[in-house]
Amino acid sequence: MAGILSLKTRRLTMIIMVVTLVMLAQGLTGDGVQEDTAGEKLLKRVKRGWVWNQFFVLEEYTEQKPLYIGKLHSDMDKGDGSIKYILSGEGAGTMFTLDDSTGDIHAIQRLDREVKAQYVLRAQARNRDTGRPLEQESEFVIKIQDINDNEPKFLDGPYEATIPEMSPIGTSVIQVSATDADDPSYGNSARVVYSILEGQPYFSVDPKTGEIRVSLADMDREMKELYHVIIQAKDMGGQLGGLAGTTTVNITLSDVNDNPPKFTQKLYQMSVPESAPLGSVVGRIWAKDRDIGINAEMKYTIIDGDGRDSFEITTDPTKLHGIITIKKHLDFESKRSYTLKVEGRNIHLDPRYHSKGPFSDVTIVHVSVEDVDEPPEFDAPFYVVEVPEDAEIGTVFKTVSARDPDATNNTVRYSIERMSDPEKYFYMDITSGSLMTVLPLDREEAPWHNITVLAMEMNNPSQIGSVSVAVKVLDVNDNAPSLTEFYESYVCENAKAGQLIQTVTAMDPDEPLGGQHFYYSLAPEAANNPNFTLRDNQDNSAWVLTRRGGWSPQEQSVYYLPILVSDSEQPVQSSTSTLTIRVCSCDGDGNVLSCNAEAYTLPASLSRGALIAILACIFVLLIMILLMLSLRSDRKKPYLMDEEENVHENIVRYDDEGGGEEDTEAFDIAAMWNPREAHFSKLRQDMLPEIESLSRYVPQVCVSGVGVGEDSNVHGYVLAKLYEADLDPCAPPYDSLQTYAYEGEGSVAESLSSLQSTASHTDHDYDYLNDWGPRFRKLAEMYGVTESGSPPWSELSGSS
């Protein structure tokens, strides 16, 4: 590399010297301006000395100091510094610098030919003092000379290629190409040579073109399918010191049909129930082929055997497996097994490999038929029956028949599937299979009935056969025709005799075979109507005509004309409809202006339906207003208690002894909020007074100082119970706590709650009970201190 650089440096120096000599020669014959003795300027044609061509410089210069490129010089430059050189153009000031006094050009940045191969610049010489141009601007080129600094690259790699297996030697696989960014016109920097690093002995590469070829015969895909080949591209013609690049070529062997198919089994055993429907799959067979894709596709054929008429074989969607299906209904009682001889053959054959054949194989398939308890079978797949709609109830219109196909031939019973006849129009005889009507039929309501008849074996009710019976109800002329709609006509006051008032048509739910044909006439009571007449048009329509003129709503505003309509079928049906005709005031064109009193009260454009809608809206508005007023009156009612208070519906008391439903006792909450209104005299009916229930177990004692009588007995009992409860730690209440929000309005006792009593560990002093008045006298006598200074239970024990 150093030798190459030195050679290029010497070439550059010689070029610069030649350029300098040319410039000097041109300067000796340059243009000039001479002045005469009188001071006037005389123009004189001389040769120019300011002509530039190009400079050359090597790329990738890496030294710190600027690289000298060349020198600009004008013939007018005397070396005294009066001339200033100016450089402009591509890279001026950034890539290249110019000494404005000497004209020396230097490169101040690293140059890369692959980025930019040449720079076009312009030079000019000016008078340093005046700035006046001394020479015309000249253009020159700095070309960047190439060095081998880029390795070859495979821009399209890695490559993928596919060739058929068993390809002969020399078969072209793919052509690779490497690109070298160096200058191909200068030296060998861009001259690339190809070689193979990995992939021998299977493949080779042409060193000049990069074409990869097969170099080993009979490569088998079934042995190895994918090959990884590494190709190298080296510049400098492959010489030592050249740069190299590599790429990978993935070569896949495609399949050819070079392997015959072979069945995985020589004998297949299969079984199928006799009840299997047509098209059911019996089993699969497979002639395995080592090839893939279309080369492994098979066609299967039944070539022999006693089951060719009962079975058929097809190829599955992958075209690899053979599917045996049922072609004909099987009957265990008739034939219990079948034998099939099946051939599997490749579809796509390659004549180059016929010698490796034959490309087919044969196997035997044995099919066993399994016995199944089959449901009864009807003698027809379906039935279509016609029944006239006037058929009498109980008419038998069809008898179906079914039998058990099994050898046992069980007895069959018939029925109708209820979901197919929800209205229960028909009845089925359970033993004979006869169908009959049990309700009248109406073709106009239901022209068809699709029922399902079931046949069940007596010995095995799970075996049920079914058949569809379509019952067509035939039409009978049992409906009278009537006018198509409700007609309301009008006649103008100025109408004349014979004027058409209304065209009427009729309809009939019946559908006779010959089509509908109606006859129109006035009803017998209106046969001689002096006002109107009816004309039958014989096309299923009729005209209503006036018989006179001069109509007046004051005389009669509404006329009713009965019209008789009859059909043409037997028995003839007829009906009478009434046509309403109003007398109206009309303009000259026959347009209605007003009709009787109703027309004066209602606008012309306001129909009866619109009037009903308006009245309905008014009714809804009235209901809404009444509802709002009732809600507002409910809001004005005062509440019984403050909303911020804690309100419950009741308080439930539970007896600790567990008495079932009688343990609960509900209280009216209003009694606690309003104690003065509480009725304490109301007692529970399911509870006896506690004093009565306990008096049998607690002895009655007499307390001294208390009067004789009922009060003293109760007083003594309470004191005894109190004393007993104080001494018994297991006495109730147990773990229950009852609190009350109201403790008595205006009570001098304040709160009687014992929740705060745990703060003191000493006995309570109840002497203050004597200060609460007569209401608490009994409580003071039980818990307070007597005049003797001793508690009452001490007196109780002393008296006993």
Side-chain angles (χ1 to χ4, degrees), residues 159-181:
Y159 296 86
E160 302 287 338
T162 302
I163 59 170
E165 62 175 333
M166 300 296 177
S167 295
I169 296 175
T171 302
S172 177
V173 179
I174 193 174
Q175 184 174 5
V176 297
S177 178
T179 303
D180 197 321

Side-chain angles (χ1 to χ4, degrees), residues 137-158:
E137 190 176 58
S138 178
E139 185 177 88
F140 65 96
V141 176
I142 299 178
K143 287 190 174 183
I144 312 301
Q145 287 186 323
D146 183 54
I147 65 173
N148 189 20
D149 59 342
N150 292 277
E151 72 278 2
K153 295 181 179 180
F154 293 90
L155 301 180
D156 298 329

Side-chain angles (χ1 to χ4, degrees), residues 70-303:
K71 187 179 183 66
L72 299 178
H73 183 73
S74 176
D75 294 343
M76 296 183 180
D77 191 356
K78 305 302 182 183
D80 56 359
S82 61
I83 294 179
K84 180 180 180 181
Y85 296 97
I86 299 175
L87 183 67
S88 62
E90 296 177 343
T94 57
M95 304 292 294
F96 308 101
T97 59
L98 174 67
D99 190 332
D100 60 358
S101 298
T102 63
D104 293 335
I105 302 175
H106 291 81
I108 59 176
Q109 289 191 15
R110 174 178 168 271
L111 302 175
D112 189 354
R113 190 201 66 82
E114 286 71 39
V115 176
K116 191 171 181 62
Q118 66 179 16
Y119 295 85
V120 179
L121 296 100
R122 294 180 297 277
Q124 192 175 43
R126 292 177 178 269
N127 187 293
R128 186 177 297 275
D129 297 331
T130 64
R132 182 172 61 85
L134 301 179
E135 299 283 356
Q136 291 184 356
E137 190 176 58
S138 178
E139 185 177 88
F140 65 96
V141 176
I142 299 178
K143 287 190 174 183
I144 312 301
Q145 287 186 323
D146 183 54
I147 65 173
N148 189 20
D149 59 342
N150 292 277
E151 72 278 2
K153 295 181 179 180
F154 293 90
L155 301 180
D156 298 329
Y159 296 86
E160 302 287 338
T162 302
I163 59 170
E165 62 175 333
M166 300 296 177
S167 295
I169 296 175
T171 302
S172 177
V173 179
I174 193 174
Q175 184 174 5
V176 297
S177 178
T179 303
D180 197 321
D182 294 324
D183 190 357
S185 63
Y186 181 77
N188 294 327
S189 299
R191 184 182 169 210
V192 178
V193 175
Y194 300 93
S195 61
I196 186 169
L197 300 182
E198 292 183 16
Q200 300 94 343
Y202 306 103
F203 303 96
S204 62
V205 64
D206 189 294
K208 293 182 179 180
T209 62
E211 184 178 10
I212 301 175
R213 298 179 179 274
V214 175
S215 60
L216 183 64
D218 297 332
M219 287 189 293
D220 193 357
R221 184 201 64 83
E222 287 74 32
M223 300 298 295
K224 186 177 181 179
E225 184 176 4
L226 183 62
Y227 295 85
H228 299 282
V229 179
I230 298 179
I231 303 297
Q232 182 189 67
K234 191 173 184 181
D235 59 12
M236 297 300 292
Q239 297 177 4
L240 186 63
L243 304 178
T246 60
T247 188
T248 301
V249 182
N250 297 317
I251 302 175
T252 303
L253 299 183
S254 61
D255 185 63
V256 298
N257 194 6
D258 59 341
N259 294 280
K262 295 293 180 183
F263 278 102
T264 57
Q265 297 176 224
K266 288 301 180 181
L267 177 63
Y268 289 87
Q269 294 285 350
M270 301 179 183
S271 62
V272 59
E274 63 172 336
S275 60
L278 296 179
S280 299
V281 176
V282 179
R284 292 171 175 259
I285 61 175
W286 183 22
K288 191 173 182 180
D289 196 329
R290 296 178 63 195
D291 299 321
I292 61 174
I294 62 173
N295 298 314
E297 293 180 356
M298 303 295 298
K299 181 180 180 181
Y300 296 92
T301 308
I302 300 176
I303 59 176

Side-chain angles (χ1 to χ4, degrees), residues 227-538:
Y227 295 85
H228 299 282
V229 179
I230 298 179
I231 303 297
Q232 182 189 67
K234 191 173 184 181
D235 59 12
M236 297 300 292
Q239 297 177 4
L240 186 63
L243 304 178
T246 60
T247 188
T248 301
V249 182
N250 297 317
I251 302 175
T252 303
L253 299 183
S254 61
D255 185 63
V256 298
N257 194 6
D258 59 341
N259 294 280
K262 295 293 180 183
F263 278 102
T264 57
Q265 297 176 224
K266 288 301 180 181
L267 177 63
Y268 289 87
Q269 294 285 350
M270 301 179 183
S271 62
V272 59
E274 63 172 336
S275 60
L278 296 179
S280 299
V281 176
V282 179
R284 292 171 175 259
I285 61 175
W286 183 22
K288 191 173 182 180
D289 196 329
R290 296 178 63 195
D291 299 321
I292 61 174
I294 62 173
N295 298 314
E297 293 180 356
M298 303 295 298
K299 181 180 180 181
Y300 296 92
T301 308
I302 300 176
I303 59 176
D304 200 1
D306 57 0
R308 286 182 293 178
D309 296 334
S310 301
F311 302 92
E312 63 181 354
I313 188 168
T314 57
T315 306
D316 70 347
T318 63
K319 296 184 179 181
L320 298 178
H321 301 84
I323 303 176
I324 300 176
T325 57
I326 300 175
K327 181 181 178 182
K328 185 179 179 181
H329 282 293
L330 305 177
D331 188 4
F332 174 81
E333 288 74 23
S334 300
K335 189 173 180 58
R336 301 187 179 186
S337 65
Y338 297 87
T339 300
L340 306 174
K341 187 177 182 180
V342 181
E343 179 191 54
R345 180 180 295 275
N346 279 142
I347 299 176
H348 306 280
L349 301 179
D350 195 332
R352 294 175 298 174
Y353 306 103
H354 278 175
S355 60
K356 297 186 178 184
F359 290 87
S360 64
D361 197 14
V362 177
T363 188
I364 302 298
V365 180
H366 185 268
V367 181
S368 299
V369 180
E370 299 176 351
D371 187 23
V372 175
D373 188 6
E374 301 173 89
E377 295 179 354
F378 287 88
D379 56 0
F382 61 90
Y383 300 92
V384 178
V385 186
E386 293 182 348
V387 181
E389 62 177 328
D390 61 347
E392 296 181 1
I393 296 176
T395 302
V396 176
F397 57 89
K398 182 63 179 178
T399 300
V400 299
S401 176
R403 60 175 293 273
D404 183 9
D406 297 320
T408 56
N409 194 15
N410 292 321
T411 305
V412 176
R413 292 292 180 262
Y414 302 93
S415 63
I416 297 176
E417 203 275 318
R418 286 295 92 190
M419 295 300 295
S420 64
D421 185 23
E423 293 83 4
K424 299 182 180 180
Y425 281 98
F426 307 98
Y427 171 76
M428 166 70 72
D429 187 87
I430 191 172
T431 57
S432 65
S434 298
L435 274 170
M436 61 186 69
T437 60
V438 293
L439 290 178
L441 302 179
D442 188 355
R443 188 205 64 85
E444 287 73 35
E445 181 180 349
W448 284 89
H449 296 271
N450 295 314
I451 61 177
T452 301
V453 176
L454 305 178
M456 181 184 66
E457 293 183 11
M458 284 289 294
N459 297 338
N460 189 359
S462 63
Q463 296 300 321
I464 300 175
S466 63
V467 70
S468 177
V469 179
V471 181
K472 181 180 180 181
V473 182
L474 300 179
D475 184 43
V476 174
N477 191 26
D478 56 349
N479 291 279
S482 60
L483 294 183
T484 305
E485 58 182 280
F486 176 76
Y487 292 97
E488 284 193 358
S489 304
Y490 67 92
V491 59
C492 296
E493 293 178 337
N494 54 1
K496 299 179 181 179
Q499 185 171 338
L500 177 64
I501 298 301
Q502 180 70 51
T503 300
V504 295
T505 58
M507 59 177 293
D508 191 340
D510 297 322
E511 292 182 0
L513 297 178
Q516 299 281 8
H517 186 76
F518 303 122
Y519 298 96
Y520 301 87
S521 63
L522 293 178
E525 62 270 19
N528 298 320
N529 191 300
N531 301 310
F532 303 97
T533 184
L534 183 72
R535 178 187 300 174
D536 191 340
N537 298 324
Q538 301 299 318

